Amino acid sequence: MSSTNAEFLLPNSQPVVELDCTAAFNSLTDKEKLYAHHLSRACWTGGLIVLVQTSPESPLIFSMLHRVIMAESLESLKAAVLAKNISEDEWTAFLVYMCGILANAGNYKCMGDTKFIPNIPEDKFKTIVRSSKAYKNNPEHLENLWNLCHRQIYTLTDRLKSLGLGEKGISTYFSENCTMEDANLVAKWMRTKKMEAYISRTCKTFENGTPLYSIVLASVDKDPMPPITIEKESYDGALFQVVRGDYSPLLALVNQNLEQAIQYVANDNEKNMIKHYINSFQRGDLDEHKNGSRYWIKDKGPVIETYLGFIETYRDPSGQRGEFEGFVAMVNKKMSEKFKALVDNAENFLKFLPWGPEFEKDKFLQPDFTSLDVMTFAGSETPAGINIPNYDEIRQSEGFKNVSLGNVIPAHYKDAVTPFLSTEDSSLINAYRVRAFEVQVGLHELLGHGSGKLFYKHADGTHNFDIASVRDPLTGEPISSWYNDGDTYDSQFTSLGSAFEECRAEAVGLYLSLDKSVLKIFGYEGQIADDIIYANWLSLMWNGAAKATEMYQPATKAWLQAHAQARFVLMRLLELDGEGMLQITETEPGKNLLLTLDRTKIETVGKKVIGNFLLKLQILKSTGNADGARKLFAHYSELRGSWIQWRDIVLAHKQPRKMLVKPNSFLKDGSVVLKTYEPSHQGLIQSWVDRFPNTEVDDILEKLAESDKKHYLNLY
């Protein structure tokens, strides 16, 4: 392959690590295991929706590769292809590409949203497909699949290099002819209907020359059902309608598994939660998912924790549509005790944040906060922590839950490489980064995402804050902007929303990690506490410099991942405004960098700089001032000066992101057994063979791709 395409290739050395939950699973009762099993089946089936949400070709690539590995063992296929002059390296590259499709739920990276292509020539890839038993059994079907997606697999035009909207990338949340102007118009119309976009996609066609925007809801049912569906109506020079039935056959399978899971719930909260989820997926009713989420937050301290639906908006270019995800996990009681202590003290810690009580929720609603050992996480990415639900009206007045995915953190950090640090700093960060990250995740999720008030003007003209007395702490002036009835944080901040909120949460973590009483909760005092503070700050700065810039696309001047942009902003903040406490120098021209952080200034200069910035972030969020937020973020997030060249150095030292191989559960003689897999390319692939042991889902994915095809005819 061309060296110019190197950043779009997955290396043959691509690491795979096991996500182990065996001990936690074995501690479950038979009933709990059955509950976890059926929920996992629901999550994995729903996770296939992400293929459709990623790119037009992803469902077809998955179907083709899944059919190939279903028909015979990898050993059999390998013997066949080596006989056709495919080398060992080319065979490994084929396996790595397949792992990439399975682990990322499509052909775009979950972190960075850039496309990846096979590290073998197209004719070699074709030879492997044609050498398979699947091809021999059904040559017409496999040849058709190859013809439908081979160009899409390899094409790297500028628009197709990353996810985005219009000329900036490809998104299946919108038809190919939509731009950000279209997305903004759709959002404007949806606000008039008090609709949120989490479970929708948008297709633009024309009717007698007039744009027609079809908002398509995810549901099993396809027929019109007012008020969920809306007939055509005119607005601002365009036509709008709401229809339903997106992903219908996959959601039908999700509901079948949820119906099985409901037989093994532990309490009425879990039963009602699942009933509402089923109703939501059946009808395309977002309010039903919200109702399910209400029961979810009431289900305190369950042995089996789960959540599924259209949740995170990171990959929607307009920041409002949710990617499907679902997880099933078991509570780690020892670590959860520390998080419970953090929750118990949360109201005191909130007072340490750099804004007054008028910018905080009227009442802090103590959430459930548990550390979990993940059994199942279906979607494009497995995070280290989650704060959900994302629905503003629930988070602000009813509550939320925090979960730390405890077995994910050490899995991602296993055998980690840390370039650009001194030997001493590298040793320290490797010794403490897992413990430091557990502290950061706890603060980030509970007191970052869980803090702060949104100022609203209600439909009756009243406000949820005292407009006569509350002042902007930075200017001393009265509050002059707020959210209006029907607005949400996502609808106001749109494409900036995810990065801005992640930056605020990360800043809260840095700021509060300086409090020794926080670290004492986690069991750290004295020199170890000091080292963990330093490791936490150093790790985030290193991530902002050494990892985040991988996720920046110079051609479009766009950030491709919210957490990366957030961490780069905080790194640049300390680099520019930290009075020299953070230094990045080019030690070997064009080849190497050195990042140093003056730990003696963290609790003085660092705390002041982060605190002042955090106050600005909170005021902008509370008042719905998206324009001010964009201006502030632009100053710190633009790559300029030395960073334009330094990004090339970062890419030269880039380490491939670890892929996680996850277990499967199976029913055997009425009991549930857990099967684990070796952390290898072969092990990861076998886990998917066992997960979907027939081609039913392939047939469904092909039909969904065919249905969507008309909206993406001009991409390739």
Side-chain angles (χ1 to χ4, degrees):
M1 302 298 294
S2 169
S3 59
T4 59
N5 293 336
E7 65 180 290
F8 302 101
L9 304 174
L10 301 176
N12 280 10
S13 59
Q14 172 66 51
V16 176
V17 296
E18 180 188 6
L19 192 62
D20 181 34
C21 68
T22 306
F25 180 83
N26 289 339
S27 70
L28 301 178
T29 66
D30 289 344
K31 182 182 177 181
E32 290 164 349
K33 289 177 181 178
L34 285 162
Y35 185 55
H37 168 72
H38 291 296
L39 286 172
S40 292
R41 294 306 306 157
C43 292
W44 284 122
T45 306
L48 297 175
I49 289 171
V50 182
L51 292 160
V52 185
Q53 293 180 306
T54 297
S55 70
E57 65 272 14
S58 286
L60 298 173
I61 299 171
F62 178 95
S63 176
M64 180 177 67
L65 294 175
H66 185 245
R67 289 177 188 276
V68 166
I69 59 176
M70 276 296 306
E72 63 186 314
S73 68
L74 289 177
E75 291 78 9
S76 171
L77 179 60
K78 180 179 180 180
V81 302
L82 292 183
K84 296 291 182 67
N85 294 319
I86 300 296
S87 70
E88 287 277 357
D89 282 348
E90 289 166 340
W91 167 248
T92 300
F94 174 77
L95 295 183
V96 167
Y97 180 75
M98 192 186 311
C99 287
I101 297 295
L102 300 173
N104 293 278
N107 61 336
Y108 286 77
K109 295 176 185 176
C110 63
M111 289 293 286
D113 292 344
T114 54
K115 187 173 183 177
F116 58 91
I117 63 174
N119 194 14
I120 51 173
E122 186 174 337
D123 63 322
K124 299 282 190 174
F125 196 113
K126 185 176 183 179
T127 296
I128 295 174
V129 172
R130 285 185 167 180
S131 301
S132 69
K133 185 177 289 187
Y135 190 92
K136 291 178 173 64
N137 291 342
N138 197 340
E140 184 177 348
H141 194 115
L142 268 291
E143 188 70 20
N144 183 54
L145 281 173
W146 172 258
N147 290 334
L148 284 172
C149 66
H150 73 93
R151 288 181 60 242
Q152 291 89 327
I153 288 173
Y154 280 92
T155 300
L156 278 175
T157 58
D158 286 344
R159 183 178 181 184
L160 298 178
K161 288 179 178 178
S162 64
L163 300 180
L165 199 54
E167 293 306 311
K168 288 191 173 182
I170 170 62
S171 172
T172 56
Y173 290 106
F174 296 87
S175 54
E176 66 175 356
N177 56 350
C178 286
T179 64
M180 193 58 75
E181 288 72 26
D182 293 302
N184 291 337
L185 179 59
V186 170
K188 186 178 174 184
W189 178 80
M190 292 182 78
R191 280 198 295 273
T192 70
K193 301 296 181 182
K194 297 184 179 179
M195 284 182 64
E196 293 175 80
Y198 281 104
I199 62 171
S200 73
R201 294 196 291 165
T202 297
C203 301
K204 177 184 177 183
T205 55
F206 289 87
E207 194 169 278
N208 298 321
T210 301
L212 168 61
Y213 296 98
S214 297
I215 290 90
V216 190
L217 304 178
S219 70
V220 178
D221 295 339
K222 299 181 179 181
D223 56 309
M225 183 184 170
I228 293 175
T229 58
I230 299 175
E231 294 185 359
K232 291 177 193 173
E233 65 173 55
S234 181
Y235 177 82
D236 203 3
L239 296 171
F240 294 82
Q241 65 178 358
V242 179
V243 297
R244 61 181 183 162
D246 214 359
Y247 324 117
S248 174
L250 289 176
L251 287 172
L253 294 176
V254 171
N255 277 358
Q256 287 176 22
N257 286 290
L258 290 178
E259 294 281 7
Q260 293 292 317
I262 208 168
Q263 301 176 51
Y264 305 103
V265 297
N267 53 57
D268 286 342
N269 281 326
E270 292 179 355
K271 179 184 288 186
N272 288 320
M273 170 189 77
I274 293 177
K275 283 183 176 179
H276 285 292
Y277 290 164
I278 291 172
N279 290 341
S280 175
F281 299 147
Q282 187 72 33
R283 303 174 192 169
D285 188 342
L286 183 62
D287 285 340
E288 278 293 284
H289 196 271
K290 291 181 179 181
N291 289 333
S293 298
R294 290 183 167 98
Y295 282 105
W296 181 65
I297 60 177
K298 292 176 184 176
D299 189 25
K300 303 285 188 180
V303 175
I304 303 294
E305 188 62 280
T306 185
Y307 195 71
L308 74 163
F310 298 85
I311 312 302
E312 302 294 354
T313 61
Y314 300 130
R315 286 184 127 184
D316 171 16
S318 69
Q320 298 176 66
R321 287 151 190 83
E323 181 178 89
F324 191 96
E325 69 179 41
F327 73 85
V328 180
M330 290 75 71
V331 173
N332 180 319
K333 293 181 180 179
K334 184 177 180 180
M335 192 65 188
S336 295
E337 288 173 2
K338 298 177 182 179
F339 287 134
K340 184 181 183 303
L342 191 65
V343 170
D344 291 341
N345 289 275
E347 288 185 83
N348 291 327
F349 295 142
L350 285 172
K351 296 174 185 177
F352 299 159
L353 292 172
W355 53 79
E358 63 274 13
F359 282 83
E360 198 47 71
K361 297 183 183 73
D362 297 336
K363 181 181 179 182
F364 179 72
L365 302 166
Q366 280 204 350
D368 207 20
F369 197 167
T370 49
S371 177
L372 307 175
D373 284 345
V374 174
M375 171 181 167
T376 297
F377 205 109
S380 64
E381 162 68 347
T382 305
I386 314 173
N387 176 286
I388 40 181
N390 287 329
Y391 308 123
D392 285 343
E393 70 269 35
I394 296 177
R395 295 172 61 83
Q396 288 286 309
S397 60
E398 298 176 53
F400 53 90
K401 275 189 181 183
N402 296 281
V403 294
S404 172
L405 306 182
N407 57 340
V408 173
I409 297 171
H412 274 311
Y413 282 151
K414 186 177 181 181
D415 301 323
V417 178
T418 50
F420 314 134
L421 294 177
S422 68
T423 302
E424 181 181 359
D425 278 346
S426 184
S427 296
L428 185 140
I429 208 170
N430 287 330
Y432 290 108
R433 74 187 308 185
V434 171
R435 284 176 280 181
F437 194 55
E438 286 173 342
V439 173
Q440 178 70 8
V441 167
L443 296 172
H444 173 117
E445 300 296 345
L446 174 64
L447 299 167
H449 292 315
S451 65
K453 180 175 181 175
L454 304 184
F455 291 172
Y456 267 93
K457 181 178 181 181
H458 302 304
D460 62 4
T462 62
H463 296 77
N464 71 337
F465 64 100
D466 189 346
I467 193 170
S469 64
V470 176
R471 293 289 187 271
D472 183 325
L474 295 175
T475 66
E477 297 296 319
I479 300 300
S480 58
S481 64
W482 44 74
Y483 299 82
N484 291 307
D485 191 51
D487 288 342
T488 66
Y489 172 76
D490 284 339
S491 70
Q492 286 291 98
F493 281 70
T494 62
S495 58
L496 179 64
S498 293
F500 189 87
E501 175 59 11
E502 293 303 333
C503 187
R504 194 182 71 89
E506 292 283 41
V508 168
L510 289 177
Y511 192 78
L512 291 180
S513 71
L514 298 176
D515 190 278
K516 297 299 176 62
S517 60
V518 169
L519 293 172
K520 188 174 181 179
I521 286 174
F522 286 87
Y524 307 129
E525 297 183 82
Q527 185 61 47
I528 290 179
D530 291 338
D531 286 342
I532 285 175
I533 290 172
Y534 180 58
N536 188 40
W537 280 61
L538 179 63
S539 180
L540 198 143
M541 294 304 114
W542 178 83
N543 270 292
K547 299 296 290 182
T549 47
E550 296 174 8
M551 313 293 180
Y552 181 80
Q553 189 177 64
T556 58
K557 295 185 177 180
W559 284 93
L560 304 174
Q561 212 285 327
H563 297 83
Q565 184 178 4
R567 290 162 184 161
F568 183 81
V569 164
L570 291 172
M571 183 277 297
R572 283 289 280 165
L573 173 71
L574 286 193
E575 186 189 13
L576 294 174
D577 303 342
E579 300 178 17
M581 68 178 293
L582 179 67
Q583 298 279 345
I584 295 104
T585 54
E586 192 169 346
T587 55
E588 297 177 74
K591 293 183 178 180
N592 211 349
L593 304 172
L594 177 65
L595 182 149
T596 56
L597 178 67
D598 187 343
R599 66 187 295 171
T600 66
K601 293 183 177 181
I602 289 176
E603 298 195 37
T604 53
V605 177
K607 183 175 182 179
K608 179 182 177 182
V609 171
I610 292 293
N612 290 340
F613 190 67
L614 188 50
L615 178 60
K616 293 177 184 177
L617 297 179
Q618 184 56 50
I619 293 170
L620 292 167
K621 182 183 179 183
S622 288
T623 59
N625 187 354
D627 289 339
R630 291 183 192 282
K631 184 177 179 181
L632 177 67
F633 243 53
H635 175 66
Y636 294 103
S637 65
E638 181 185 354
L639 256 71
R640 58 182 186 269
S642 297
W643 276 107
I644 296 173
Q645 289 75 42
W646 288 353
R647 179 180 178 273
D648 293 333
I649 297 176
V650 169
L651 289 177
H653 289 260
K654 181 178 179 179
Q655 299 294 315
R657 184 174 178 80
K658 295 177 179 66
M659 295 178 183
L660 300 177
V661 58
K662 299 163 188 171
N664 285 312
S665 58
F666 300 95
L667 285 172
K668 185 176 182 181
D669 300 326
S671 298
V672 179
V673 295
L674 191 75
K675 182 177 179 180
T676 60
Y677 302 86
E678 65 174 24
S680 65
H681 306 141
Q682 292 84 351
L684 193 155
I685 292 168
Q686 186 61 46
S687 73
W688 281 84
V689 172
D690 293 347
R691 194 164 290 143
F692 296 105
N694 59 56
T695 58
E696 177 189 9
V697 294
D698 302 326
D699 295 336
I700 291 172
L701 288 168
E702 289 174 31
K703 289 176 182 176
L704 291 174
E706 179 62 26
S707 177
D708 280 359
K709 183 179 178 180
K710 58 183 176 291
H711 300 299
Y712 307 101
L713 292 174
N714 298 314
L715 277 177
Y716 298 93

